[in-house]
Amino acid sequence: MKHTFNDGFTALELMITVSIAAIVMVVAVPSYQGVLERNRLKQVLEGYKVDLQLTRTEALKRQTPVVISRKAGAAGAWCYGLTVKNDCDCAVSDSTAADFCELKRIDSANFGAIALAAQSANTNTFDPRRGTTGASGVTFTSEQYAGRVIVSNTGRVKSCAPTGGLLPSGKKGLPSLSDC
Protein backbone atom coordinates (compact mmCIF):
# COMPACT_ATOMS: atom_id res chain seq x y z
CA MET A 1 0.00 0.00 0.00
CA LYS A 2 1.33 3.36 -1.01
CA HIS A 3 0.94 6.40 1.32
CA THR A 4 0.85 9.91 -0.01
CA PHE A 5 1.61 12.92 2.20
CA ASN A 6 0.21 16.39 1.69
CA ASP A 7 2.58 19.19 2.57
CA GLY A 8 -0.07 21.92 2.63
CA PHE A 9 -2.93 23.15 4.77
CA THR A 10 -6.58 22.57 4.19
CA ALA A 11 -8.84 25.58 3.78
CA LEU A 12 -10.45 24.81 7.17
CA GLU A 13 -7.08 24.76 8.99
CA LEU A 14 -6.10 28.05 7.37
CA MET A 15 -9.40 29.71 8.33
CA ILE A 16 -9.07 28.55 11.95
CA THR A 17 -5.49 29.84 12.16
CA VAL A 18 -6.43 33.23 10.70
CA SER A 19 -9.41 33.49 13.08
CA ILE A 20 -7.25 32.78 16.13
CA ALA A 21 -4.65 35.33 14.97
CA ALA A 22 -7.39 37.95 14.50
CA ILE A 23 -8.76 37.34 18.01
CA VAL A 24 -5.28 37.68 19.51
CA MET A 25 -4.74 40.95 17.62
CA VAL A 26 -8.07 42.39 18.77
CA VAL A 27 -7.13 41.67 22.39
CA ALA A 28 -3.44 42.68 22.19
CA VAL A 29 -3.52 45.93 20.18
CA PRO A 30 -5.40 48.13 22.73
CA SER A 31 -3.12 47.08 25.59
CA TYR A 32 -0.06 47.59 23.41
CA GLN A 33 -1.21 51.12 22.59
CA GLY A 34 -1.46 51.83 26.32
CA VAL A 35 2.12 50.64 26.75
CA LEU A 36 3.24 52.92 23.91
CA GLU A 37 1.43 55.89 25.48
CA ARG A 38 3.02 55.33 28.89
CA ASN A 39 6.48 54.83 27.37
CA ARG A 40 6.19 58.00 25.26
CA LEU A 41 5.25 60.00 28.37
CA LYS A 42 8.13 58.42 30.34
CA GLN A 43 10.52 59.32 27.52
CA VAL A 44 9.48 62.99 27.65
CA LEU A 45 9.71 63.11 31.45
CA GLU A 46 13.18 61.52 31.50
CA GLY A 47 14.39 63.74 28.67
CA TYR A 48 13.23 66.90 30.42
CA LYS A 49 14.69 65.73 33.73
CA VAL A 50 18.07 65.06 32.10
CA ASP A 51 17.97 68.46 30.38
CA LEU A 52 17.31 70.21 33.71
CA GLN A 53 20.34 68.40 35.12
CA LEU A 54 22.33 69.41 32.03
CA THR A 55 21.30 73.05 32.54
CA ARG A 56 22.57 72.93 36.12
CA THR A 57 25.83 71.26 35.07
CA GLU A 58 26.41 73.80 32.28
CA ALA A 59 25.91 76.69 34.73
CA LEU A 60 28.50 75.23 37.09
CA LYS A 61 30.92 74.36 34.28
CA ARG A 62 30.67 77.69 32.43
CA GLN A 63 30.54 79.78 35.62
CA THR A 64 27.64 81.76 34.14
CA PRO A 65 23.87 81.53 34.66
CA VAL A 66 22.17 79.08 32.28
CA VAL A 67 18.43 79.30 31.57
CA ILE A 68 15.99 76.60 30.54
CA SER A 69 13.02 78.26 28.84
CA ARG A 70 9.79 76.43 28.02
CA LYS A 71 6.67 77.28 26.07
CA ALA A 72 3.27 75.56 25.90
CA GLY A 73 1.65 76.15 22.53
CA ALA A 74 -1.68 75.57 20.86
CA ALA A 75 -2.97 72.07 20.04
CA GLY A 76 -0.40 70.33 22.25
CA ALA A 77 2.63 71.96 20.63
CA TRP A 78 5.36 72.78 23.12
CA CYS A 79 9.10 73.29 23.29
CA TYR A 80 11.96 74.09 25.62
CA GLY A 81 15.48 75.32 25.13
CA LEU A 82 18.72 76.03 26.97
CA THR A 83 20.64 79.29 26.73
CA VAL A 84 23.32 81.36 28.45
CA LYS A 85 21.37 84.52 27.57
CA ASN A 86 18.70 85.98 29.85
CA ASP A 87 16.01 84.08 27.97
CA CYS A 88 15.38 82.44 24.62
CA ASP A 89 12.42 81.48 22.46
CA CYS A 90 12.51 77.75 21.82
CA ALA A 91 10.14 78.15 18.87
CA VAL A 92 12.78 80.14 16.96
CA SER A 93 14.74 77.88 14.60
CA ASP A 94 16.96 80.55 13.01
CA SER A 95 20.35 80.20 14.71
CA THR A 96 21.23 83.83 13.85
CA ALA A 97 18.20 85.24 15.71
CA ALA A 98 18.88 87.07 18.96
CA ASP A 99 16.42 84.90 20.93
CA PHE A 100 17.64 81.52 19.59
CA CYS A 101 18.28 78.83 22.25
CA GLU A 102 21.89 78.14 21.35
CA LEU A 103 22.72 75.28 23.74
CA LYS A 104 19.77 72.97 23.00
CA ARG A 105 16.22 72.99 21.61
CA ILE A 106 13.53 70.29 21.99
CA ASP A 107 10.02 70.42 20.58
CA SER A 108 6.94 68.24 20.75
CA ALA A 109 7.12 67.06 17.12
CA ASN A 110 8.96 63.86 18.08
CA PHE A 111 6.71 62.86 20.97
CA GLY A 112 3.27 62.20 19.52
CA ALA A 113 0.30 63.30 21.60
CA ILE A 114 2.20 64.46 24.69
CA ALA A 115 1.23 67.94 25.94
CA LEU A 116 2.99 70.38 28.27
CA ALA A 117 0.65 72.01 30.77
CA ALA A 118 0.91 75.80 30.78
CA GLN A 119 3.02 77.13 33.63
CA SER A 120 3.00 80.40 35.57
CA ALA A 121 6.80 80.63 35.35
CA ASN A 122 8.30 79.49 32.07
CA THR A 123 11.99 79.65 32.91
CA ASN A 124 14.48 78.31 35.42
CA THR A 125 17.81 80.08 35.79
CA PHE A 126 20.56 78.03 37.40
CA ASP A 127 23.09 79.90 39.52
CA PRO A 128 26.70 79.32 38.46
CA ARG A 129 28.15 79.10 41.98
CA ARG A 130 25.90 76.52 43.61
CA GLY A 131 23.68 75.23 40.83
CA THR A 132 20.56 76.45 42.59
CA THR A 133 17.33 77.71 41.02
CA GLY A 134 13.80 78.61 42.02
CA ALA A 135 11.65 75.60 42.87
CA SER A 136 9.21 74.71 40.11
CA GLY A 137 7.48 71.86 38.36
CA VAL A 138 6.33 71.01 34.87
CA THR A 139 3.47 68.64 34.07
CA PHE A 140 3.36 66.61 30.86
CA THR A 141 0.19 64.74 29.88
CA SER A 142 -0.83 62.04 27.44
CA GLU A 143 -4.37 60.97 26.59
CA GLN A 144 -4.83 59.11 29.89
CA TYR A 145 -1.80 59.85 32.08
CA ALA A 146 0.13 62.72 33.63
CA GLY A 147 3.69 62.96 34.89
CA ARG A 148 5.56 65.79 36.54
CA VAL A 149 9.20 66.86 36.72
CA ILE A 150 10.07 69.01 39.70
CA VAL A 151 13.21 70.91 40.60
CA SER A 152 13.92 72.07 44.15
CA ASN A 153 15.58 75.31 45.28
CA THR A 154 18.83 73.36 45.64
CA GLY A 155 18.71 72.24 42.00
CA ARG A 156 17.74 68.63 42.62
CA VAL A 157 15.49 67.17 39.94
CA LYS A 158 13.00 64.30 40.14
CA SER A 159 10.03 62.96 38.21
CA CYS A 160 6.82 61.92 39.94
CA ALA A 161 3.12 61.24 39.41
CA PRO A 162 1.01 64.33 40.18
CA THR A 163 -1.71 64.01 42.81
CA GLY A 164 -4.46 66.22 44.18
CA GLY A 165 -4.59 69.71 42.71
CA LEU A 166 -1.55 69.03 40.49
CA LEU A 167 -3.30 66.19 38.64
CA PRO A 168 -5.05 67.47 35.49
CA SER A 169 -8.74 66.68 35.22
CA GLY A 170 -9.51 63.28 33.71
CA LYS A 171 -5.90 62.02 33.96
CA LYS A 172 -4.23 59.37 36.10
CA GLY A 173 -0.73 59.64 37.49
CA LEU A 174 1.80 57.59 35.54
CA PRO A 175 1.81 54.21 37.36
CA SER A 176 5.58 53.67 37.34
CA LEU A 177 6.32 56.90 39.26
CA SER A 178 6.05 57.70 42.96
CA ASP A 179 3.52 60.35 44.00
CA CYS A 180 4.55 64.01 44.14
Side-chain angles (χ1 to χ4, degrees):
M1 183 175 255
K2 195 174 195 183
H3 293 291
T4 59
F5 295 100
N6 291 333
D7 289 337
F9 297 104
T10 66
L12 181 62
E13 291 171 332
L14 186 60
M15 286 176 27
I16 290 172
T17 303
V18 169
S19 299
I20 291 172
I23 291 169
V24 168
M25 291 293 287
V26 165
V27 171
V29 167
S31 65
Y32 183 67
Q33 287 179 339
V35 168
L36 287 177
E37 178 185 352
R38 288 189 299 274
N39 285 342
R40 215 176 272 124
L41 182 56
K42 271 194 255 185
Q43 180 184 12
V44 171
L45 292 170
E46 286 303 310
Y48 186 70
K49 179 180 166 184
V50 166
D51 287 338
L52 277 169
Q53 293 166 334
L54 172 66
T55 308
R56 181 176 191 258
T57 301
E58 286 295 317
L60 294 169
K61 181 176 92 175
R62 294 171 183 259
Q63 288 298 298
T64 187
V66 178
V67 178
I68 186 165
S69 178
R70 53 196 168 264
K71 180 187 283 188
W78 54 267
C79 62
Y80 65 85
L82 284 61
T83 185
V84 293
K85 305 170 198 166
N86 289 336
D87 196 5
C88 66
D89 184 351
C90 55
V92 173
S93 58
D94 179 10
S95 62
T96 61
D99 55 353
F100 180 72
C101 299
E102 77 280 2
L103 297 180
K104 187 171 187 178
R105 288 179 52 248
I106 300 292
D107 66 31
S108 61
N110 299 325
F111 299 105
I114 303 298
L116 168 67
Q119 305 293 310
S120 57
N122 287 316
T123 61
N124 282 92
T125 303
F126 284 83
D127 178 73
R129 279 188 268 150
R130 295 196 174 164
T132 57
T133 187
S136 68
V138 176
T139 303
F140 290 95
T141 60
S142 65
E143 187 177 321
Q144 297 180 41
Y145 300 99
R148 189 163 171 82
V149 177
I150 56 176
V151 59
S152 70
N153 287 331
T154 60
R156 294 184 186 244
V157 182
K158 77 172 192 172
S159 50
C160 57
T163 57
L166 297 174
L167 186 63
S169 177
K171 308 288 183 189
K172 299 179 271 191
L174 196 59
S176 60
L177 300 175
S178 60
D179 291 345
C180 293

